[in-house]
Amino acid sequence: MIEILSIGSGLSLQDAGRSGWRRFGVPSGGAMDRRSMTLANTLLGNSTQAPVLEIARLGVQVRVLSDAWIALAGADFCSLFKAGTARLVLAGEVLVFDQRASGLYAYLAVPGGFRAEHWLGSASTDLRNGMGCALRRGDRLESLRATPNITTEGVARRVAIEPTDQICENRAHFELYRGTQYEAFSAATREKFVRSEWTISKRSDRTGYRLEGNSLAVPASIPSEPVLPGSVQVPGNGQPIITMRDGPTVGGYAKIAFLKADDLDRMAQCAPGCLLSFSWLD
Amino acid sequence: MKCRIYGDRGVLLSSLSEAERSRLLHRVESGLPPACDEYVLGYDSILLIGAQTIAVQEWLEQTNGTEVRAIKPSGCRIIEVDYTGADLDSVAQACNLTVTEVIELHSAPVYTVRMMGFSPGFPYLDGLDPRLHLDRRSSPRDHILPGTVAIGGAHAGIYSVASPGGWHLLGHTELNLFNLDAARDLDPDPAQVFALSVGQRIRFQPMSTP
């Protein structure tokens, strides 16, 4: 069992998200960086669906109340506990996430995952839509199992072989597919989009990453069209928004591009202030 | 109809005519293309998540043979509305109508749920009287209560969860569009989770004043 001592700039329970509900208007949600969430679970022999604690940026502190196996992955925010490793943490130890490091999200897994309520088949917190609740100081979270599903040697072996995430520092490049309204943007605008450097805005969250930089000439809005995480939409102000895990399922802004599915996790770890550049896939 | 890839995430069929759209709605109910595990409806589009272009084209050829079944003679759901929305006056003014006329025009038609989106269970309703078609508000509100009955563009809708929004607010209904208790079930039934479904017909009825 762990107790939350400080919620820092944000933490929530997340898992692999809810699939099959987008046509009812329900975003898939789930861990922003799925690869890291999966790694944290894998290190302890958990199912990859097991609920983990998603820690956004710095300031989070948790106290371990009884001896517990814990795995960390994603951003390397905990100075005494390297991301991409797992170990037995003794009762009373406090994990402090205050180490400046690249990335935006760290993941904390416990054996079997955290006990959590499920909505539409997922424990992912989606506050906007009433699923789950905001964690507060003093909340206690319980793990489903007392010990990992696998032996101590098994955990050690996985820590040694599992590759950790490639987390961008303050600059990242992404190759993009052309969006469904690509042709609606002028050739000059499309060129400007890939020739410009963009900064991830502070006004970014789990629903979308806003980009600041040049302003793009925007074509007319379109009849509402399905949107997926990784869609790059350009709203009226000409500043693109990359839809993320909690983003809406449909939208009327023109989509200039799509991220590769495999790049979503890497994008999720790009923190506000990170510089982005793009190029088109052939 | 246009068929195009949606990055590496699936295939989007867009610019659908009404006939194509309704044929596809029936088609997805009887089976999705290979590798496609989920679909999402847009206004005149449908996204087949996970599907590949060639498989979709073959699937479409099968679709061409299917007859469009007659619309299910499902009843028309009556939704009681307390017409006390914050924008009744401004809508009346913008449409050059009285508030009573706005209420009459809004509660007269039989609407059809075209799609759900924006929020869980939020219905985009076809059938709004053209005299009530208005652009969205220039400044969206930060907080609209669930159950708020509203209009935006050519559509009527009902806010399903507390959210920001730019539609014009006409009233309020007690109907719970997104039932979180039913969503907690081990194997949730969409019919229990969402009050409305795509294709369903509804009508608004002014609440009788006591």
Side-chain angles (χ1 to χ4, degrees):
Chain A
M1 186 141 67
I2 65 163
E3 181 186 354
I4 294 162
L5 299 182
S6 166
I7 59 163
S9 26
L11 80 174
S12 63
L13 284 171
Q14 298 293 341
D15 59 14
R18 35 188 75 83
S19 56
W21 298 94
R22 298 190 74 84
R23 69 174 180 279
F24 302 102
V26 185
S28 335
M32 289 288 278
D33 175 358
R34 290 277 210 281
R35 239 182 330 242
S36 295
M37 178 215 67
T38 305
L39 172 61
N41 275 325
T42 305
L43 293 178
L44 295 179
N46 291 347
S47 130
T48 54
Q49 315 281 323
V52 300
L53 201 53
E54 180 176 273
I55 294 161
R57 315 203 76 178
L58 301 180
V60 169
Q61 290 188 32
V62 301
R63 178 189 283 136
V64 175
L65 299 178
S66 46
D67 296 3
W69 277 91
I70 284 180
L72 289 185
D76 206 13
F77 290 154
C78 189
S79 47
L80 299 173
F81 199 146
K82 197 173 156 28
T85 68
R87 65 171 167 90
L88 182 67
V89 178
L90 299 180
E93 189 178 335
V94 175
L95 301 179
V96 181
F97 295 82
D98 65 348
Q99 173 171 269
R100 291 178 64 87
S102 311
L104 188 51
Y105 292 102
Y107 294 88
L108 186 159
V110 293
F114 285 103
R115 188 179 298 282
E117 215 169 347
H118 285 59
W119 287 265
L120 303 177
S122 164
S124 290
T125 307
D126 179 351
L127 294 179
R128 221 163 45 98
N129 293 321
M131 293 179 276
C133 51
L135 292 171
R136 284 174 306 195
R137 180 195 164 96
D139 282 352
R140 291 175 172 204
L141 299 171
E142 226 180 298
S143 66
L144 277 174
R145 297 175 53 97
T147 53
N149 216 357
I150 52 176
T151 61
T152 308
E153 294 73 32
V155 174
R157 213 161 32 238
R158 290 182 185 207
V159 168
I161 61 162
E162 287 290 336
T164 52
D165 234 8
Q166 289 298 308
I167 291 183
C168 307
E169 295 194 8
N170 27 33
R171 193 174 283 274
H173 182 82
F174 290 87
E175 293 182 306
L176 301 174
Y177 287 97
R178 288 163 177 77
T180 37
Q181 281 74 45
Y182 173 84
E183 284 91 6
F185 291 86
S186 71
T189 302
R190 297 181 319 223
E191 187 67 12
K192 191 170 170 185
F193 175 62
V194 289
R195 289 205 171 244
S196 307
E197 204 162 41
W198 300 92
T199 309
I200 299 188
S201 160
K202 287 194 179 68
R203 293 170 54 230
S204 298
D205 57 21
R206 289 184 43 95
T207 64
Y209 286 6
R210 292 165 182 270
L211 305 186
E212 290 168 347
N214 265 320
S215 182
L216 301 179
V218 188
S221 61
I222 54 162
S224 284
E225 194 177 271
V227 175
L228 286 180
S231 302
V232 185
Q233 305 186 73
V234 187
N237 65 5
Q239 309 266 285
I241 299 175
I242 304 170
T243 307
M244 298 303 283
R245 304 281 184 194
D246 285 352
T249 54
V250 295
Y253 297 133
K255 287 181 277 302
I256 193 168
F258 299 115
L259 286 183
K260 291 191 282 188
D262 269 355
D263 274 343
L264 258 173
D265 296 321
R266 192 162 63 94
M267 178 60 80
Q269 290 287 12
C270 292
C274 183
L275 290 173
L276 301 183
S277 61
F278 301 116
S279 59
W280 298 114
L281 282 159
D282 288 326
Chain B
M1 182 191 328
K2 287 187 203 158
C3 174
R4 57 200 313 170
I5 60 161
Y6 199 96
D8 55 359
R9 315 293 294 287
V11 171
L12 183 79
L13 303 174
S14 59
S15 306
L16 302 173
S17 68
E18 290 298 307
E20 287 168 335
R21 191 176 186 275
S22 72
R23 224 180 353 249
L24 280 167
L25 269 174
H26 286 293
R27 186 69 182 91
V28 291
E29 289 306 322
S30 56
L32 294 168
C36 172
D37 45 16
E38 188 173 358
Y39 71 90
V40 192
L41 290 177
Y43 181 81
D44 61 354
S45 55
I46 179 169
L47 173 62
L48 299 162
I49 299 176
Q52 304 279 330
T53 313
I54 293 172
V56 169
Q57 272 153 1
E58 284 169 8
W59 180 79
L60 283 173
E61 278 161 31
Q62 297 159 20
T63 314
N64 288 337
T66 18
E67 284 289 305
V68 181
R69 280 173 288 157
I71 293 167
K72 278 176 276 175
S74 63
C76 176
R77 178 155 190 172
I78 307 292
I79 297 176
E80 281 213 323
V81 180
D82 182 12
Y83 281 100
T84 50
D87 297 328
L88 271 178
D89 288 323
S90 63
V91 167
Q93 206 164 24
C95 300
N96 213 3
L97 297 164
T98 65
V99 166
T100 314
E101 287 169 331
V102 170
I103 296 171
E104 277 171 12
L105 289 178
H106 183 260
S107 55
V110 171
Y111 295 93
T112 308
V113 179
R114 185 177 186 89
M115 56 189 270
M116 285 193 244
F118 178 67
S119 296
F122 180 104
Y124 286 78
L125 300 171
D126 275 341
L128 181 66
D129 191 295
R131 284 169 283 181
L132 293 177
H133 291 190
L134 279 180
D135 283 341
R136 284 151 210 218
R137 286 167 51 88
S138 47
S139 56
R141 287 190 171 82
D142 288 337
H143 191 79
I144 296 174
L145 290 174
T148 300
V149 175
I151 55 172
H155 289 100
I158 309 168
Y159 283 91
S160 57
V161 301
S163 70
W167 288 23
H168 306 268
L169 316 185
L170 301 187
H172 189 266
T173 167
E174 292 297 315
L175 183 66
N176 181 12
L177 291 155
F178 179 37
N179 181 346
L180 281 166
D181 287 331
R184 282 195 185 94
D185 287 351
L186 206 56
D187 186 14
D189 174 5
Q192 300 298 318
V193 178
F194 304 101
L196 304 176
S197 58
V198 169
Q200 187 173 7
R201 295 182 303 156
I202 70 156
R203 203 162 59 74
F204 293 114
Q205 190 170 72
M207 224 153 96
S208 42
T209 36

